[in-house]
Amino acid sequence: MPIPVVRAETFYTPPPPEPADLWKDVPAAERVWRWYEVRMGRRVTPPDDTVEDTYFARINQNRWLADCSCGSAAVVSPTDPRYACTECGWGWCTLIFPTDPAAVEASLMATKPNLRNWWHPDDPANPDQPVVGLPDPGPMASRG
């Protein structure tokens, strides 16, 4: 059986000896806040506000991720397309996932998990975007 792509609801789980289903009613995007609180041993409070920022979700080494503008990142899930950074505390941002996340995950199953990477085609940070036209060589190109 292939190893599935990791989502927030399977990554952020309660620590032992707590029951594995303790957080079953916690939305996927909020689980990171519970997990962070337990792992870091300090109280953290998710933001109340939704901000206008949107981020593209991507798969990085077999995990759905969202990157914050502060440089932090977290495992996310297409079942709850929101993200709020536990590092900088910026408000809830909307995540853009592919139309069919399961199809994207299925397309990666033949690849080793540590090599499974995917970027949304509309993401400006996507390193696989085609180069359109030739770059302007600048003023130094006219010197002969």
Side-chain angles (χ1 to χ4, degrees), residues 80-91:
D80 188 359
R82 303 177 295 150
Y83 170 67
C85 184
T86 56
E87 290 297 318
C88 72
W90 191 235

Side-chain angles (χ1 to χ4, degrees), residues 6-86:
V6 176
R7 296 178 173 200
E9 54 269 34
T10 56
F11 186 81
Y12 300 115
T13 58
E18 300 294 340
D21 66 349
L22 180 67
W23 298 346
K24 68 178 166 88
D25 295 329
V26 177
E30 296 173 26
R31 286 178 173 229
V32 62
W33 291 85
R34 296 268 179 103
W35 184 90
Y36 190 85
E37 192 171 72
V38 169
R39 297 286 189 239
M40 295 306 197
R42 64 181 191 181
R43 173 80 53 199
V44 292
T45 305
D48 293 324
D49 299 330
T50 298
V51 295
E52 292 185 19
D53 295 23
T54 58
Y55 294 118
F56 285 91
R58 63 188 176 95
I59 295 176
N60 174 260
Q61 296 183 341
N62 205 47
R63 303 162 296 173
W64 280 106
L65 286 186
D67 299 293
C68 182
S69 58
C70 79
S72 187
V75 177
V76 294
S77 177
T79 64
D80 188 359
R82 303 177 295 150
Y83 170 67
C85 184
T86 56

Side-chain angles (χ1 to χ4, degrees), residues 122-137:
D122 297 333
D123 187 343
N126 181 347
D128 296 327
Q129 290 184 6
V131 176
V132 179
L134 295 174
D136 181 357

Side-chain angles (χ1 to χ4, degrees), residues 98-115:
T99 306
D100 189 351
V104 170
E105 292 173 357
S107 74
L108 298 172
M109 287 301 113
T111 307
K112 290 181 181 180
N114 66 316
L115 299 175

